[in-house]
């Protein structure tokens, strides 16, 4: 009984310490944002260069990659919190993607949780597949289908929460700020930072500046004559800049909504088909089923957009065109999937790696291609795009 009391007392003493550690860690990341970003980039590049170098311990290398991605996701939340505390003159101009996703993550806690879950699954799905494959091929395909089903459910819920607006990839805001600006703001408060910004401007030029009497802010110096065009273009507001975040993506209905459902459910259908014909990798049926669903969904959506909007696809917002282009480029990954890879691409990859062998610098590229070939041959999620 006394032992239980002592242990409970130790736990109660340790609980208040955990938030302090988290706050200290957050302060450390904010004050050293540049160094942390460089370390993240270095580790991420390392995992890209040696994807299958240690074929007997691929789980270790993929665990490192997944860990870096998850840690970067947490760092993004810390840096976004620090950015929100910056004065207006130091905040970066957000991209349409950032404005739209930040609106939904801020106004809908459910959206934020589901989007975070979806992002975490995408970062760890290949690791789950590797672990499941050690239990056998049947277990592996069950895990693959289960993960694709969970992701599809998350996307359908996001589609519902956004009132039938097409999904963006990724569904969370991305890091869009110079880390040095965050480091500077972490050591001073907003007023001090604004004073330093004004004093820096005064040191850079001796030109007279006008100070606004009510706010105390100074108007920026005019640029040099050769930079006037670039300066003016950087200050121009587009139609998307003045739109509310929700208006950056139009609501879909009818054929375009059905097309979005097809796009979301396509990976589940493809995974089920791959599971059905898993013993015959060169079978064309799963590949044709998956590609036809995605291509059909894309064409159906484009046809509905042409009919609904004045000017056709030109009536879409910049963010919608960007997402449509991104999905179009993602379809090129079908050349690395299923029967097309086994019957066509694989031979081309083999010959390319063989040509690079024994040649200076290119030999390293050939080795990396062979390492990736191991992943393309053995794992479904190595070429997954959704």
């Amino acid at each position: 009984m006394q032992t239980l009391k002592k242990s409970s007392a130790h736990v109660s003493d340790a609980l208040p310490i955990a938030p302090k550690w988290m706050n200290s860690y957050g302060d450390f990341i904010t004050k050293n944002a540049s160094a942390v970003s460089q370390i993240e980039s270095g580790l991420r590049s390392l995992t890209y260069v040696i994807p299958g170098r240690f074929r007997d311990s691929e789980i270790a290398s993929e665990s490192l990659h997944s860990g870096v991605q998850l840690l970067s996701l947490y760092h993004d939340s810390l840096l976004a919190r620090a950015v929100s505390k910056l004065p207006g003159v130091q905040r970066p101009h957000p991209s349409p993607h950032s404005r739209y996703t930040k609106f939904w993550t801020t106004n809908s806690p459910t959206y934020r949780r589901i989007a975070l879950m979806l992002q975490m699954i995408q970062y760890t799905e290949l690791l789950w597949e590797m672990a499941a494959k050690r239990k056998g091929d049947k277990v592996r395909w069950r895990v693959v289908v289960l993960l694709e089903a969970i992701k599809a459910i998350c996307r359908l819920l996001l589609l519902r929460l956004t009132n039938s607006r097409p999904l963006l990839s990724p569904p969370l805001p991305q890091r869009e700020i110079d880390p040095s600006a965050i480091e500077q703001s972490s050591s001073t408060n907003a007023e001090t930072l604004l004073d330093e910004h004004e004093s820096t401007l005064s040191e850079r030029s001796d030109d007279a500046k006008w100070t606004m009497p009510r706010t105390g802010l100074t108007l920026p110096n005019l640029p040099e004559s050769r930079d006037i065009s670039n300066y003016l273009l950087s200050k121009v507001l587009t139609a998307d800049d003045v739109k509310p975040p929700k208006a950056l993506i139009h609501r879909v209905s009818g054929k375009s909504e059905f097309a979005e459902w097809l796009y979301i459910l396509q990976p589940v259908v493809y995974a089920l088909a791959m599971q059905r014909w898993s013993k015959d990798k060169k079978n064309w049926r799963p590949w044709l089923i998956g590609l036809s669903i995605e291509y059909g969904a894309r064409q159906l959506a484009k046809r509905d957009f042409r009919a609904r909007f004045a000017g056709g696809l030109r009536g879409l917002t910049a963010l919608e065109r960007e997402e449509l282009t991104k999905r179009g480029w993602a379809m090129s990954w079908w050349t690395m999937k299923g029967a097309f890879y086994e019957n066509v691409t694989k031979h081309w990859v083999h010959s390319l790696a063989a040509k690079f062998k024994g040649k200076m610098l290119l030999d390293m590229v050939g080795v990396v291609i062979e390492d990736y070939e191991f992943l393309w041959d053995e794992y479904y999620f190595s070429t997954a795009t959704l």
Side-chain angles (χ1 to χ4, degrees):
M1 192 66 180
Q2 292 180 351
T3 305
L4 290 175
K5 290 182 179 180
K6 290 181 179 179
S7 60
S8 62
H10 287 308
V11 171
S12 61
D13 292 340
L15 285 176
I17 300 177
K20 295 181 180 178
W21 288 347
M22 297 299 291
N23 292 334
S24 300
Y25 180 75
D27 293 338
F28 173 79
I29 296 299
T30 303
K31 293 177 181 178
N32 302 275
S34 297
V36 172
S37 298
Q38 291 176 2
I39 293 174
E40 289 175 357
S41 300
L43 291 175
R44 197 177 291 112
S45 301
L46 181 64
T47 57
Y48 289 153
V49 172
I50 52 172
R53 183 66 54 84
F54 307 106
R55 300 191 179 186
D56 296 331
S57 58
E58 68 271 13
I59 290 183
S61 59
E62 185 59 28
S63 297
L64 174 62
H65 176 72
S66 300
V68 172
Q69 295 288 73
L70 292 175
L71 193 61
S72 299
L73 191 62
Y74 176 63
H75 290 169
D76 288 344
S77 65
L78 295 177
L79 296 179
R81 199 179 307 161
V83 169
S84 63
K85 298 178 181 178
L86 288 174
V89 293
Q90 291 293 319
R91 291 182 189 177
H93 183 68
S95 66
H97 178 276
S98 180
R99 288 182 60 213
Y100 179 80
T101 52
K102 187 177 180 180
F103 170 81
W104 287 109
T105 54
T106 304
N107 292 275
S108 176
T110 306
Y111 178 96
R112 185 178 66 252
R113 295 189 190 98
I114 295 175
L116 183 61
M117 179 189 299
L118 178 61
Q119 200 78 5
M120 292 175 66
I121 293 175
Q122 288 181 307
Y123 286 158
T124 59
E125 58 190 7
L126 183 55
L127 181 61
W128 286 110
E129 184 183 1
M130 289 178 175
K133 189 176 181 181
R134 296 196 171 188
K135 300 293 184 180
D137 207 47
K138 289 185 177 180
V139 176
R140 171 203 168 198
W141 281 112
R142 288 174 185 171
V143 170
V144 168
V145 172
L146 177 62
L147 290 175
E148 289 289 14
I150 294 174
K151 291 194 298 181
I153 293 172
C154 290
R155 292 190 176 98
L156 290 174
L157 291 174
L158 294 179
L159 185 66
R160 174 67 176 174
L161 290 170
T162 57
N163 298 320
S164 298
R165 287 178 171 84
L167 304 180
L168 296 183
S169 179
L172 293 173
Q174 299 298 288
R175 195 182 302 180
E176 297 177 347
I177 188 172
D178 184 6
S180 61
I182 303 178
E183 292 178 2
Q184 185 181 7
S185 67
S186 64
S187 59
T188 57
N189 55 36
E191 295 180 359
T192 306
L193 185 60
L194 185 59
D195 293 337
E196 291 180 357
H197 178 70
E198 294 175 356
S199 63
T200 303
L201 288 177
S202 62
E203 292 174 0
R204 289 179 181 175
S205 176
D206 295 332
D207 296 339
K209 295 180 294 185
W210 182 68
T211 302
M212 291 180 281
R214 185 173 63 84
T215 62
L217 298 177
T218 56
L219 291 176
N221 294 325
L222 292 176
E224 297 182 7
S225 58
R226 62 176 180 272
D227 296 331
I228 289 179
S229 297
N230 294 331
Y231 175 80
L232 293 176
L233 288 175
S234 66
K235 302 298 181 181
V236 171
L237 291 178
T238 64
D240 290 341
D241 291 329
V242 297
K243 285 182 179 179
K246 289 175 65 174
L248 294 174
I249 297 290
H250 292 97
R251 296 178 61 180
V252 293
S253 59
K255 294 180 181 179
S256 53
E257 185 175 10
F258 178 67
E260 191 68 16
W261 275 71
L262 285 178
Y263 177 75
I264 292 173
L265 295 176
Q266 172 269 320
V268 182
V269 178
Y270 177 64
L272 287 170
M274 289 292 290
Q275 183 186 31
R276 170 67 176 80
W277 289 285
S278 59
K279 294 182 180 180
D280 185 10
K281 288 186 175 181
K282 295 186 177 182
N283 194 312
W284 283 94
R285 278 177 283 188
W287 189 85
L288 290 173
I289 291 172
L291 178 62
S292 61
I293 293 176
E294 184 169 351
Y295 181 76
R298 179 178 176 83
Q299 294 302 115
L300 185 62
K302 290 173 69 175
R303 185 180 303 174
D304 189 63
F305 289 153
R306 290 191 183 99
R308 287 176 56 200
F309 300 117
L313 296 180
R314 289 178 297 178
L316 299 175
T317 64
L319 184 57
E320 289 173 324
R321 291 195 297 270
E322 178 185 344
E323 180 62 24
L324 199 61
T325 303
K326 191 182 298 183
R327 293 185 183 186
W329 279 108
M331 289 189 67
S332 62
W333 275 100
W334 282 101
T335 60
M336 304 299 297
K337 294 182 180 182
F340 194 95
Y341 174 77
E342 294 292 334
N343 295 303
V344 181
T345 315
K346 189 174 183 178
H347 304 291
W348 181 81
V349 171
H350 270 302
S351 61
L352 184 65
K355 288 181 180 179
F356 286 164
K357 281 188 176 180
K359 296 181 180 179
M360 187 177 299
L361 297 179
L362 294 178
D363 184 67
M364 184 182 299
V365 178
V367 172
V368 173
I369 292 175
E370 289 182 347
D371 292 340
Y372 270 103
E373 186 181 357
F374 170 72
L375 295 180
W376 297 331
D377 281 340
E378 300 295 329
Y379 298 107
Y380 167 89
F381 282 120
S382 61
T383 56
T385 57
L386 187 63

